[in-house]
Amino acid sequence: MSKEKMSEYKHEKAPSNMLGGRLHDRVKLNPGGYSETEPGVLFAIRVRKNRNLVLSLSTCMDCGACLTVCPAYLATRNIRNSPLGRITLAKSIMKGRINDEVINEAYTYFWQCLTCRRCAWACPFGVDVADITRAIRSMLYELNLAPNYVVGGVIDNLESTGNFLGLPEDVLKEVIINAVNEIRLEKGVNARVKINEAAYALLLPSACADYTTALNTFKGYVLLLNELGVDFTLSTRHLT
């Protein structure tokens, strides 16, 4: 896909009949905050009331360091599809500059964020746009705006297997064991890992993608906890 095509990409929205009360009940959420006549105003109020979100938006100095590492921006060269662009958009929402176009842009670009947190690593102040993205996405969901693949696939996978990838427990256990074996071969470290056993701490990777596309991140968790001597366990039933 060309950069031009990627820049125009937008996740297909889930039909309204798949959202609303039925899905809210399934995920144990009762938004009850947005009216059909003034969704933008209440959206802005939700942003202002989120202290962590306001602090992150206020901390950003628009230096652009995040642009050098963001995969979404590097792939599309679309400033709106970048940490800086998302922060600018969130600031506009916080200030109440909202209309249908802004809400549509929020849906488009906050759902294109990979939540990989490379921006937080590059930011001199540690601003984590992944956290901002999660907050805005939850607010968009309450406006009945969510991608079709989330509503029709991810939530079903979470309910049936405990992870959004739909990996059975035995498969996930093998992934963990293979990762531990790779650590031994690559680093010469016999990492101690418990699976579904009692321990002092439960390790919940930041996303179950850490078991697949970001496996090196998972290995880093394991190596660090072993180096610190922490007694920890992993669950094949409950993932973030």
Side-chain angles (χ1 to χ4, degrees), residues 155-175:
I155 293 176
D156 286 339
N157 288 340
L158 283 169
E159 289 183 333
S160 61
T161 67
N163 63 83
F164 71 74
L165 296 175
L167 295 175
E169 285 191 42
D170 56 343
V171 172
L172 191 54
K173 186 173 182 179
E174 285 300 313
V175 169

Side-chain angles (χ1 to χ4, degrees), residues 20-234:
R22 185 161 63 91
L23 182 57
H24 294 334
D25 289 342
R26 286 178 63 194
V27 299
K28 304 295 189 274
L29 175 67
N30 180 21
Y34 293 114
S35 68
E36 293 183 0
T37 56
E38 296 182 297
V41 173
L42 293 169
F43 192 7
I45 292 173
R46 288 290 180 90
V47 172
R48 293 177 199 147
K49 286 186 174 181
N50 188 317
R51 291 185 177 182
N52 290 337
L53 186 55
V54 172
L55 178 61
S56 294
L57 296 178
S58 302
T59 301
C60 175
M61 301 300 291
D62 299 333
C63 69
C66 54
L67 300 180
T68 64
V69 297
C70 174
Y73 175 70
L74 293 175
T76 64
R77 294 297 175 180
N78 181 348
I79 193 65
R80 292 176 294 178
N81 194 9
S82 72
L84 188 57
R86 283 181 257 278
I87 286 176
T88 300
L89 182 55
K91 285 180 177 178
S92 294
I93 294 170
M94 183 173 65
K95 294 174 181 176
R97 299 169 184 166
I98 304 177
N99 51 35
D100 289 343
E101 182 180 351
V102 170
I103 292 176
N104 186 57
E105 283 203 359
Y107 172 83
T108 300
Y109 296 111
F110 279 104
W111 273 106
Q112 287 193 35
C113 174
L114 301 177
T115 64
C116 66
R117 292 183 152 166
R118 294 189 72 185
C119 51
W121 172 78
C123 176
F125 297 103
V127 175
D128 189 346
V129 179
D131 280 344
I132 296 172
T133 290
R134 289 188 178 98
I136 297 294
R137 283 178 181 175
S138 69
M139 296 173 194
L140 288 168
Y141 169 74
E142 293 181 39
L143 283 172
N144 286 336
L145 289 173
N148 195 42
Y149 82 89
V150 171
V151 176
V154 170
I155 293 176
D156 286 339
N157 288 340
L158 283 169
E159 289 183 333
S160 61
T161 67
N163 63 83
F164 71 74
L165 296 175
L167 295 175
E169 285 191 42
D170 56 343
V171 172
L172 191 54
K173 186 173 182 179
E174 285 300 313
V175 169
I176 294 170
I177 292 172
N178 287 337
V180 172
N181 289 334
E182 288 182 14
I183 289 173
R184 178 174 51 81
L185 293 173
E186 295 169 358
K187 305 294 183 180
V189 175
N190 291 315
R192 301 177 303 282
V193 176
K194 293 180 179 179
I195 304 175
N196 298 328
E197 297 180 48
Y200 173 77
L202 170 64
L203 171 60
L204 289 172
S206 60
C208 52
D210 288 347
Y211 290 116
T212 53
T213 56
L215 189 59
N216 283 333
T217 301
F218 172 69
K219 292 178 186 177
Y221 297 149
V222 172
L223 282 167
L224 176 61
L225 291 173
N226 271 266
E227 180 66 23
L228 295 174
V230 177
D231 175 35
F232 71 97
T233 188
L234 290 154

